[in-house]
Amino acid sequence: MDQPVVSWGAPHTERADAARNRLHLVATAREMIAELGVDRLTMDALAERSGLGKGTVFRRFGTRAGIFQALLDDGERAFQERVLAGPPPLGPGAAPLERLIAYGRARVGFMLEYREVARAALDGRQPIPAGAQTPLSQTHIRMLLGRLDLGSVNLDILSIQLTAALDGPLLLYLSAADLEPGAAGTEQRLAQSWQDLVQRVCHP
Amino acid sequence: MDQPVVSWGAPHTERADAARNRLHLVATAREMIAELGVDRLTMDALAERSGLGKGTVFRRFGTRAGIFQALLDDGERAFQERVLAGPPPLGPGAAPLERLIAYGRARVGFMLEYREVARAALDGRQPIPAGAQTPLSQTHIRMLLGRLDLGSVNLDILSIQLTAALDGPLLLYLSAADLEPGAAGTEQRLAQSWQDLVQRVCHP
């Protein structure tokens, strides 16, 4: 039974050995990034370190960018799991405004954690860099806004506005030199600014 | 004296004939777009219609995308002129919140008017599609926010959030099919949603 070449999709149709290889490759890639940094992770280096051979790495990821896309997809899935089924206030069980604040704060942390992986996942074939992350944020924010009493506001557009307001500072900061030195301070400022924004927007 | 090949920059150093050619080419390009649509405007067609020859068009614009970038730059300059020196509430003279509302409403109109030109100006060499438009919006919004009394909010980040919230819906709508049929209704909805957002954010 043939597996799709590049895609991470439909893991339930993977053969057991393919699934094992995938987990092993992703874990090895994470180790290498932690030890050597993003720039030193190449197809060849991953093949050598994993002991799985270049053919397997190539079939699984297609390109070097494909490795990082797989890591990003993996991180997105784990993040989504925390949002949909993790403990409150990020997960279900807290009031909508609390969850909205918690979502943005967690998302800022996620985007900062994955910023180099996300950048390396771009190989010029994608139409818009932020595209892949938009749906979860927008859908989730739209759902939470629907549980608040915001009068006659257009919630579909407001959810797009807030998603863009959440991603925007990070996408712009990402290319700025001032992100690098004090990442912790940046995260705190961005998280606080998200909280300030939604508290003002959702003020009764 | 040599002129730069692709750039529109530094028009005050242009020789009179180069300036005349540029104006003629831009005016001809606008006519062709109005009559034939964006897709039919090519380097060859522009050279033929303008009567200036392919060499002149090539030296001026470099690529087909360069024609559209020049039209966009031209439109941006005219828009900026309205913001900095036009009549209120878009121009100076109105209260800060009124100007903020007027800015977003006008910007939505501008982005919708130029959406096909902006798309055609991209030839895959630009890092981020919206990059070129960000500074004006962000600088202007930051200036207006500074004149409002918003307490302890981080105005630098808020101006980025609002710039992203202004561009976001349009960038996302741009690729959606639902923009095409009722552009007038879309403009109205987006303009109203901008007004709703900033009124909530700037509520004392």
Side-chain angles (χ1 to χ4, degrees), chain A residues 129-140:
Chain A
Q133 285 90 317
T134 304
L136 169 65
S137 288
Q138 197 178 315
T139 308
H140 188 61

Side-chain angles (χ1 to χ4, degrees), chain A residues 51-74:
Chain A
L52 283 177
K54 292 186 192 180
T56 303
V57 173
F58 182 83
R59 273 194 304 279
R60 177 48 77 182
F61 300 117
T63 62
R64 177 173 180 272
I67 301 175
F68 295 100
Q69 188 59 54
L71 292 174
L72 187 59
D73 290 348
D74 220 48

